[in-house]
Amino acid sequence: MDYFVGIVSIVISGMLTNNIVLNQSLGICPFLGVSKKTQSAVGMGLAVTFVISVSSCVCWLLYTFVLDLLDIGYLSTIAFILVIASLVQLLDIVLKKLSPSLYGSLGVYLALITTNCAVLGTANSVIAQGLDFFQTLMTGVSIGLGFTIALILMAGIREKQALYDIPRPFVGFPIALVTAGIMAMAFYGFSGLSFT
Amino acid sequence: MNKSIVNALKSVAVLVCVSVVCVAVLAVCNMYFPKYTPTLDRATAERINAICPTGVTDGEAFDKKYIVMLGSDDHGVDLDKYNKSNKSKKAEILAVYGEPKGENAFSYIIESSSTGRDGDIVILIAYRDAVIVGAAVKKQGESYYNKLPAELFDFLTGKSGDVDLGAEFGKTGATLSLNAINRAVNLSNDFAITYNSAIRNSMTDMASAAETNEKGEAVEL
Amino acid sequence: MEIFLNVIVPVLIIAVIAAIFAFCLSYLGDKLAVDRDARIDDIERNLAGANCGGCGYAGCSQFAEALFKGEAQLSRCNPTSPENKKNIAKILGMSVGESVATVAVVHCAGGNRAEDKYSYQGFGDCQSAELLAGGSKACDYGCMGLCTCVRACPNNCIAICKDTGASKVDRDECISCGACVAACPKKIIGRIPVTAKVYIACSNTTKGKEVAKVCKVGCIACGKCERVCPKGAIALSNNLAAIDYTKCIGCMKCASECPRHCIQPIGDGVRLLEKIMAAKEKAKEKAKEAANAATEKQKQDDENQ
Amino acid sequence: MTRSEFKKTALGGITSNPVFVLVLGMCPTIAKSDNVINAVSLGLCTAAVLILSNVIISLLRKVIPDKVHLPAYIIVIASLVTLVQMIVSSFLPTLNDSIGAFISLITVNCIILGRAEAFAGKNKVLPSFIDGVSMGIGFVLSITLLGAVRQGLTAAFGSGFFDKTMGGFIVLGLMMALFNQIFHIVKQRQKHRAALIERGEP
């Protein structure tokens, strides 16, 4: 029973209390870049969710059955990032073939997902916590959804902001950062949530 | 062999040789770089004296060998082999110190470590007949360390065998660090129980040897 | 043995992983490649690759495809250097209309010197004013100065000029992305080559009489510029002067002769025009002195007689 | 390598500052700039890796085929970071205690791969080296400045806000706006001076 509670707490902490963008401040470059239109934000969020969950599972398998057994843990950074980069490029090729429309709205940012700190950050934290396979999958999915939630909220706000005249120095990234800061304050409120 | 196969092989060749060169450099460095080997320096002696008082000042305890580092030949245990066999526990025993003489004679201190949220946490636990008499953290880089309950180490004194800190303190802000400390404590308790007699005998021989040459010195004087 | 375990094994593992991924990336890359014409990749390689979105597409690869299909003109991409543009033109097999980089310019300098139809106090900008009986200016082609273009510009290089009251483009900053051209409801923002020294600051194509009624600096199609231009680069079409930049050598005669001053200098033309104007002033003064001297002499002759 | 090209790349760290202008490498900038020591040490490690990776990648740029250039660049960067991590953890234990865990963040720092793809992959070795140095210095300066401001604010208003990520977002946003304003005024004055020179006045 408490294994199930553990899973629920992982999912909730991934999405709300420990949001990858607003609490751990990882994966901010695409977060600031893509969040202009809600439609492309949804696309980007789903792509990141897919990449994070698949890559954290693959990295977990790679770590436990290869790196850990041979005690070459120091190579984990290289192995993980190699897997992530290749996965993103494969996603890029497959997406271009299957749905050019979705690829159109995400085109520029697929390459950025590789350097997205959230993906490698999740892979590393999953290994550090020593979770088992199913927990890893749930963490990856919940962190990806957390990223998507933050991205869609941000896109909604920034679309509204485009209508008002913002003082000249704040136009563009500064106002996005300040908005993200205020959103982070709101998400900080979730940290009171506990599951005992 | 059509064009795409040739291209594929070319990129495979390039990527493989780039990664081979990089990993070779790293592997060689990893072998020849000095690893963190615990040594009995003054600071460690002070900490040990704090959790398991030898009855003399820290400086004296260090100089006069009240606190001694027990090598594997003393207690007959190969630490690396022991750590390898306990891989699943995700914690390691780094060193064993002993106090052949002084107030808490024949008590020993085990230094064990486990990876927390931001790197390794190294803790020192003092035992007397496999029962904890004191514990403290030697080295840690945890960003949420101040979230850990203050009375954590007091709770440990008097305990032996497996301990469950999570049940005792519930959800603290630093669960990862708490789990790491928990794993390190359990492993060193386990080590203490299995090798208590071995360490004790080695310390008694050491103490008697120390007495003989001390008497010898007295005689020469 | 120890060397084998610590060095060769990790190297082999990473090498195997790298090999597998490299093979699928390039093999699948070729096999699954969308039947994208090789020329599109060449075009993309020639583009600056800054993904700045200035061309209005989601990135350079999208712009390359649009270029290939002919939906986009090459001039919209400003960061690409001219010789790259020539390569692209060769690839596309068409002569590039304006191979020279362009810059946006507002074809109106009326602003506070043009009469107002009504004073607009409503919400928003030119687009909302335009809905109200064709805008707040008596001249239907005049800039109302309500900042639609200012807000549309991605890097803030359009501003309302303090003295004229009409919007003016900062020539050095403009990356000719076309955002203002599309945004302006009066459609009076056009594109001229960066090397241009002069531009027509009016877009009113009505008869000279009406223009004079609504604006002090509007082009009344008097034709003086057409007569004075040595290269025939400027011509009246539809009651409005228009410059053919391939012929214009920037001698600034038209700008100095224009009675309404609606041919404005730009870039290095500004200094040239000031020099010419100063020279004309001097010439006029000399003429006046000569005239006074002449009248002086005339008076003395009368007294002597 | 003409003088003007050298000057343009060398000033790249300031004119196109990685943090305030290019808006790259935000993750460590916000996460680890809560005090000056963390900021400086992380900045220096990042600058070192950036310079080395720029040089190595510009050396390899002709060899790596187009399809696999991304993984290849990333392997080089990741191995450089692991090398730095090993050096720090074995030879500088004190530094390792304070920022050991942050070094692994450098691999995913967008600046390094950004500069590698945008600049080092297309230019010769010397310009890439200069670009690496100037970008590194630009990053160290801006992250230290941010660290100092946040440490000052935390000291003034007590911890809990400015050393958390939310404080980082807001302080960075405000500072970016400040820099935009400064750049704008500087450009305005340059234009004014240029206009003056054009008219021949001193």
Side-chain angles (χ1 to χ4, degrees):
Chain A
M1 176 47 200
D2 72 334
Y3 181 77
F4 177 69
V5 167
I7 295 291
V8 169
S9 82
I10 285 180
V11 168
I12 298 296
S13 85
M15 283 209 277
L16 299 176
T17 48
N18 206 350
N19 188 297
I20 187 90
V21 179
L22 299 169
N23 290 44
Q24 296 175 19
S25 97
L26 287 173
I28 297 170
C29 309
F31 178 72
L32 290 178
V34 178
S35 53
K36 292 208 176 55
K37 296 198 294 298
T38 338
Q39 188 257 342
S40 68
V42 170
M44 174 72 174
L46 295 180
V48 166
T49 313
F50 173 70
V51 167
I52 287 189
S53 16
V54 168
S55 65
S56 35
C57 291
V58 168
C59 291
W60 184 83
L61 291 171
L62 187 65
Y63 188 81
T64 36
F65 297 116
V66 174
L67 297 183
D68 213 9
L69 292 188
L70 297 157
D71 188 16
I72 41 168
Y74 63 91
L75 285 183
S76 66
T77 319
I78 299 181
F80 289 172
I81 204 136
L82 181 62
V83 163
I84 293 169
S86 318
L87 259 178
V88 170
Q89 222 167 347
L90 280 178
L91 175 70
D92 182 76
I93 296 168
V94 166
L95 207 58
K96 212 185 277 181
K97 183 80 178 172
L98 294 185
S99 78
S101 63
L102 186 60
Y103 182 76
S105 66
L106 289 172
V108 181
Y109 290 99
L110 272 179
L112 269 187
I113 294 188
T114 347
T115 63
N116 184 340
C117 332
V119 185
L120 187 64
T122 321
N124 280 341
S125 78
V126 154
I127 303 296
Q129 285 162 14
L131 306 171
D132 64 17
F133 186 74
F134 183 62
Q135 284 169 334
T136 316
L137 180 64
M138 293 313 289
T139 319
V141 169
S142 68
I143 284 187
L145 290 179
F147 183 85
T148 318
I149 292 170
L151 201 62
I152 294 173
L153 288 178
M154 190 67 177
I157 298 173
R158 280 183 76 173
E159 265 172 12
K160 283 283 173 303
Q161 265 172 4
L163 301 180
Y164 302 107
D165 46 3
I166 299 160
R168 162 198 290 285
F170 275 90
V171 168
F173 283 115
I175 194 71
L177 274 166
V178 174
T179 330
I182 296 163
M183 265 172 69
M185 276 198 261
F187 268 71
Y188 189 63
F190 285 125
S191 65
L193 231 59
S194 84
F195 274 84
T196 46
Chain B
M1 282 246 282
N2 56 29
K3 199 161 120 1
S4 65
I5 301 267
V6 165
N7 268 348
L9 290 183
K10 211 159 17 114
S11 27
V12 164
V14 166
L15 203 64
V16 163
C17 77
V18 166
S19 46
V20 159
V21 165
C22 295
V23 174
V25 166
L26 287 181
V28 166
C29 294
N30 183 38
M31 252 167 44
Y32 292 114
F33 275 6
K35 291 247 172 337
Y36 164 71
T37 49
T39 52
L40 182 55
D41 50 14
R42 203 162 282 283
T44 328
E46 258 167 61
R47 278 216 190 76
I48 294 176
N49 209 6
I51 55 172
C52 178
T54 56
V56 288
T57 62
D58 302 341
E60 215 183 321
F62 180 68
D63 304 338
K64 287 269 190 328
K65 290 274 174 295
Y66 276 78
I67 301 173
V68 157
M69 180 157 183
L70 303 173
S72 55
D73 44 18
D74 300 334
H75 46 62
V77 177
D78 174 358
L79 290 182
D80 295 345
K81 199 155 61 48
Y82 181 81
N83 286 337
K84 273 259 178 332
S85 62
N86 284 301
K87 210 96 182 74
S88 60
K89 295 221 177 75
K90 282 202 171 21
E92 281 169 0
I93 302 289
L94 298 176
V96 180
Y97 307 98
E99 284 182 12
K101 47 190 193 272
E103 208 176 85
N104 271 315
F106 301 125
S107 65
Y108 46 90
I109 299 94
I110 295 178
E111 180 177 325
S112 61
S113 84
S114 173
T115 37
R117 182 177 187 285
D118 289 323
D120 288 352
I121 306 178
V122 179
I123 57 172
L124 292 162
I125 303 176
Y127 292 90
R128 194 162 179 66
D129 302 337
V131 171
I132 299 180
V133 281
V137 172
K138 178 178 177 193
K139 181 169 89 71
Q140 54 83 21
E142 297 298 286
S143 35
Y144 293 109
Y145 184 67
N146 42 35
K147 286 261 180 51
L148 285 173
E151 70 285 359
L152 176 64
F153 292 108
D154 312 339
F155 163 75
L156 280 176
T157 43
K159 293 287 178 308
S160 169
D162 275 357
V163 170
D164 186 351
L165 298 174
E168 175 60 26
F169 295 104
K171 283 272 176 257
T172 65
T175 9
L176 292 186
S177 325
L178 191 74
N179 297 349
I181 294 175
N182 198 356
R183 290 194 298 266
V185 166
N186 287 350
L187 187 69
S188 86
N189 285 0
D190 176 40
F191 183 86
I193 291 167
T194 39
Y195 296 104
N196 178 36
S197 50
I199 298 174
R200 203 177 161 69
N201 304 348
S202 70
M203 273 214 280
T204 39
D205 319 341
M206 199 182 289
S208 51
E211 264 141 34
T212 46
N213 59 37
E214 219 162 65
K215 254 196 245 66
E217 269 155 31
V219 164
E220 269 147 28
L221 280 176
Chain C
M1 174 51 195
E2 199 229 336
I3 299 232
F4 172 76
L5 196 62
N6 279 4
V7 177
I8 314 282
V9 167
V11 166
L12 279 180
I13 292 166
I14 299 289
V16 163
I17 298 173
I20 297 165
F21 276 118
F23 187 79
C24 354
L25 282 186
S26 50
Y27 190 71
L28 280 180
D30 291 351
K31 277 287 161 276
L32 275 180
V34 177
D35 39 25
R36 201 167 121 140
D37 194 315
R39 282 178 293 178
I40 297 183
D41 296 337
D42 299 345
I43 295 173
E44 194 179 344
R45 211 165 292 115
N46 268 303
L47 285 173
N51 288 330
C52 66
C55 51
Y57 290 88
C60 294
S61 60
Q62 291 263 263
F63 182 54
E65 262 157 47
L67 269 176
F68 187 72
K69 292 198 196 78
E71 286 151 12
Q73 310 102 9
L74 193 49
S75 62
R76 303 190 60 165
C77 177
N78 207 42
T80 312
S81 59
E83 61 277 353
N84 282 6
K85 283 191 175 167
K86 285 193 188 56
N87 313 355
I88 297 176
K90 257 208 260 58
I91 297 168
L92 292 174
M94 62 156 180
S95 78
V96 177
E98 315 131 30
S99 68
V100 177
T102 58
V103 74
V105 79
V106 180
H107 288 299
C108 167
N112 44 29
R113 289 162 299 175
E115 306 308 330
D116 280 345
K117 203 185 289 178
Y118 55 82
S119 83
Y120 178 76
Q121 300 294 340
F123 166 79
D125 48 17
C126 315
Q127 266 146 355
S128 11
E130 181 70 12
L131 303 176
L132 206 58
S136 60
K137 285 286 176 202
C139 162
D140 292 343
Y141 308 87
C143 163
M144 296 176 273
L146 295 169
C147 305
T148 305
C149 51
V150 175
R151 195 172 300 128
C153 176
N155 49 19
N156 308 321
C157 50
I158 294 188
I160 303 297
C161 177
K162 279 192 220 48
D163 31 31
T164 66
S167 64
K168 202 159 192 300
V169 177
D170 179 343
R171 178 182 159 284
D172 320 330
E173 299 301 318
C174 173
I175 61 167
S176 173
C177 63
C180 55
V181 176
C184 174
K186 295 279 185 186
K187 294 292 172 250
I188 55 167
I189 301 180
R191 277 207 178 90
I192 54 170
V194 178
T195 52
K197 290 202 175 49
V198 73
Y199 69 96
I200 308 290
C202 176
S203 335
N204 193 327
T205 49
T206 53
K207 284 263 179 302
K209 232 176 350 27
E210 279 106 33
V211 174
K213 252 199 263 115
V214 291
C215 178
K216 292 196 197 61
V217 288
C219 166
I220 50 169
C222 62
K224 202 147 192 270
C225 51
E226 195 173 2
R227 287 192 296 280
V228 89
C229 176
K231 291 287 182 217
I234 193 163
L236 282 182
S237 76
N238 191 358
N239 299 322
L240 182 64
I243 297 176
D244 175 353
Y245 284 102
T246 48
K247 294 205 191 91
C248 168
I249 54 163
C251 63
M252 308 305 282
K253 277 213 177 50
C254 56
S256 54
E257 292 307 322
C258 174
R260 306 274 288 183
H261 303 299
C262 64
I263 304 181
Q264 291 287 323
I266 184 167
D268 23 15
V270 179
R271 201 147 31 87
L272 205 54
L273 187 66
E274 264 141 24
K275 260 204 227 96
I276 295 172
M277 286 306 198
K280 264 175 89 176
E281 245 69 30
K282 248 196 250 83
K284 224 175 276 151
E285 264 129 32
K286 234 192 257 86
K288 220 183 280 110
E289 274 142 23
N292 304 359
T295 47
E296 227 52 283
K297 217 144 89 321
Q298 198 68 18
K299 246 193 248 97
Q300 270 145 12
D301 297 354
D302 302 349
E303 279 139 16
N304 302 353
Q305 271 140 14
Chain D
M1 183 73 196
T2 61
R3 284 241 355 101
S4 67
E5 261 168 37
F6 172 80
K7 201 157 152 315
K8 188 159 141 324
T9 356
L11 287 180
I14 312 299
T15 46
S16 60
N17 184 299
V19 173
F20 291 115
V21 176
L22 295 181
V23 190
L24 282 173
M26 304 310 278
C27 312
T29 321
I30 291 176
K32 299 302 163 195
S33 66
D34 37 12
N35 65 46
V36 182
I37 314 139
N38 289 359
V40 170
S41 27
L42 185 67
L44 290 175
C45 290
T46 315
V49 172
L50 178 60
I51 295 166
L52 286 173
S53 92
N54 259 8
V55 168
I56 295 173
I57 285 174
S58 65
L59 280 169
L60 295 173
R61 69 182 188 290
K62 292 226 171 33
V63 172
I64 297 173
D66 198 26
K67 280 272 184 301
V68 273
H69 77 279
L70 208 59
Y73 289 172
I74 281 188
I75 289 181
V76 170
I77 296 172
S79 36
L80 278 174
V81 169
T82 324
L83 196 65
V84 167
Q85 197 160 13
M86 275 189 208
I87 293 169
V88 165
S89 66
S90 23
F91 294 112
L92 313 155
T94 49
L95 187 63
N96 190 27
D97 287 348
S98 67
I99 62 148
F102 312 155
I103 295 182
S104 63
L105 265 181
I106 299 180
T107 10
V108 283
N109 191 331
C110 314
I111 296 179
I112 302 179
L113 189 69
R115 289 320 294 171
E117 271 204 27
F119 196 90
K122 295 189 175 108
N123 295 30
K124 287 197 282 300
V125 182
L126 186 60
S128 309
F129 174 72
I130 295 163
D131 175 76
V133 169
S134 82
M135 280 297 167
I137 294 170
F139 180 70
V140 169
L141 289 181
S142 25
I143 195 170
T144 318
L145 186 67
L146 192 63
V149 167
R150 281 178 73 182
Q151 190 168 9
L153 290 174
T154 338
F157 298 104
S159 79
F161 181 73
F162 283 109
D163 52 1
K164 289 276 183 302
T165 47
M166 46 196 172
F169 275 120
I170 291 182
V171 168
L172 188 61
L174 296 178
M175 282 179 73
M176 208 181 273
L178 186 71
F179 274 96
N180 282 355
Q181 188 62 7
I182 292 172
F183 277 145
H184 178 67
I185 293 170
V186 163
K187 226 176 277 177
Q188 220 57 355
R189 193 158 305 132
Q190 263 166 4
K191 212 171 299 157
H192 184 59
R193 219 175 303 118
L196 285 182
I197 294 163
E198 255 177 42
R199 283 199 211 86
E201 289 141 33

